[in-house]
Amino acid sequence: MTKIFKKNDILNLLALLPYTVLLRLDTLITPDVYLVQSYDGVLINALYKNLLYSPIVQSIVAILLLYIQAIFINNISNRNRIYGSQCGYAGMLYVLLASLVPSLRMLSPVLIGMTFFLVGVYYTYKVYKRNNANTEIFNAALSLGLASLIYPPYLLVGLALLVEMFVLRSFSFKEQLQFLIGLFCTFWIVGAFLYFFDMITFELFNQFSLGLSYEFLIPQNNKEIVGYGILLVSLIVGLLSYYSYQKKKNVESRKKIDFLYLVCFLLLLTLFCYRYIVSDHLLILIFPFSIMMAMTLYSIKNWARIELVHIVLLLAVFFVQYGDRLQFIF
């Protein structure tokens, strides 16, 4: 099956949607509903209250967003020559890894915000060797602002976008100012809109707090043990494979691979700056993990080994989704 996803072609694009639906089929049979919290802010409250109030609608939108994000990740990694040739493993692995943690099954603000964050990454990567990157810089900041308004921790993780621009080009003071203006414009426009409709609140700022949020990292059941275990293995593989990822890559690709590690580091810092962090926060980590693991699979020449890894991940997803029912039957 992995041969379908090896190349980033039209077949991969068409096959990825039914593949995503199959992996998330249980969410259509028994849809989970995201319960809006007091700290989510007025945008999320309005969105879920007026458009996403139905559990089945939430499940369908979550599947579509996951599919779109997987395509976007494939596009980002291939446009920037992360592999030796075109490869579609990253999108497949993103869908797989995002199906391993039970809380990631639902349509959460993290999942919605990830769409805008990936757009920001796309425009950030495009600034390399451009004489005039004003549009890309502004769009990256705008996308980051939208992502952080939906889920505030993206604001800290988004510092990776700013750092990456310094790495990829001679980032002038004018361009730095342009990035900050783009970010400010997002908050200003949304704030003005909310003020006009008398909906403006500061509940989102309640999430900022110095401390350490680690409770969500403690598995509560066997399903979470399996999911967390695989993500931990992915982290170890990514850290140990840093040199092999960089080997035989050009300077541009090396700089863009380093960005993935920076996202992981900044995500760790969010645990010390935000109060209300739950396990769906791990979705941000799955973005760099999917590309790292794709590079690992791409380097494996034995097709049977790649298929074995895929089968193990599929069995883990199957256990996470249907483990309770199997225990009930037996």
Side-chain angles (χ1 to χ4, degrees), residues 34 37-41 109 148-153 202-210 213 270 273-277 281:
Y34 177 78
Q37 305 297 320
S38 59
Y39 51 79
D40 279 328
S148 60
L149 282 172
I150 294 170
Y151 188 64
F202 298 95
E203 292 172 349
L204 277 177
F205 294 99
N206 292 333
Q207 289 202 30
F208 294 88
S209 176
L210 295 179
S213 300
T270 61
C273 302
Y274 294 91
R275 182 180 301 164
Y276 306 107
I277 292 182
H281 190 70

Side-chain angles (χ1 to χ4, degrees), residues 119-137:
V119 173
V121 174
Y122 171 79
Y123 281 113
T124 299
Y125 276 175
K126 285 188 71 175
V127 304
Y128 186 73
K129 284 188 176 179
R130 281 187 177 258
N131 294 327
N132 187 351
N134 294 337
T135 302
E136 288 75 16
I137 292 169

Side-chain angles (χ1 to χ4, degrees), residues 6 10 14 24 35 128 139 147 166 183 211 218 229 248-249 262 273 283 302 325:
K6 185 173 183 179
I10 188 65
L14 295 175
R24 293 298 187 106
L35 300 176
Y128 186 73
N139 287 343
F166 278 101
L183 198 60
I218 303 174
K248 295 182 180 179
K249 296 287 195 310
L262 181 58
C273 302
L283 182 69
N302 188 325
R325 298 176 191 180

Side-chain angles (χ1 to χ4, degrees), residues 24-39:
R24 293 298 187 106
L25 187 60
D26 187 51
T27 65
L28 298 175
I29 300 171
T30 55
D32 294 328
V33 60
Y34 177 78
L35 300 176
V36 178
Q37 305 297 320
S38 59
Y39 51 79

Side-chain angles (χ1 to χ4, degrees), residues 81-237:
R81 295 174 288 182
I82 300 297
Y83 321 104
S85 60
Q86 293 290 302
C87 178
Y89 284 151
M92 177 195 77
L93 287 166
Y94 179 75
V95 174
L96 269 171
L97 295 176
S99 302
L100 279 171
V101 179
S103 63
L104 297 182
R105 290 160 32 105
M106 65 183 70
L107 181 67
S108 65
V110 188
L111 180 61
I112 299 173
M114 175 58 73
T115 308
F116 297 103
F117 181 72
L118 289 175
V119 173
V121 174
Y122 171 79
Y123 281 113
T124 299
Y125 276 175
K126 285 188 71 175
V127 304
Y128 186 73
K129 284 188 176 179
R130 281 187 177 258
N131 294 327
N132 187 351
N134 294 337
T135 302
E136 288 75 16
I137 292 169
F138 188 82
N139 287 343
L142 198 68
S143 302
L144 174 60
L146 288 171
S148 60
L149 282 172
I150 294 170
Y151 188 64
Y154 278 116
L155 188 60
L156 179 56
V157 179
L159 287 177
L161 304 184
L162 186 61
V163 172
E164 185 67 6
M165 288 186 184
F166 278 101
V167 172
L168 292 177
R169 64 185 289 108
S170 179
F171 201 37
S172 66
F173 177 75
K174 180 181 176 181
E175 291 174 334
Q176 298 170 37
L177 192 61
Q178 188 174 21
F179 184 90
L180 295 176
I181 290 173
L183 198 60
F184 177 76
C185 281
T186 310
F187 299 137
W188 179 266
I189 293 170
V190 174
F193 176 83
L194 295 177
Y195 180 79
F196 180 80
F197 288 99
D198 196 25
M199 297 170 61
I200 192 165
T201 64
F202 298 95
E203 292 172 349
L204 277 177
F205 294 99
N206 292 333
Q207 289 202 30
F208 294 88
S209 176
L210 295 179
L212 177 60
S213 300
Y214 64 89
E215 293 83 0
F216 75 97
L217 293 173
I218 303 174
Q220 302 297 318
N221 49 52
N222 292 335
K223 291 181 179 182
E224 290 192 350
I225 290 175
V226 171
Y228 286 9
I230 292 176
L231 291 180
L232 180 60
V233 170
S234 302
L235 174 62
I236 294 172
V237 170

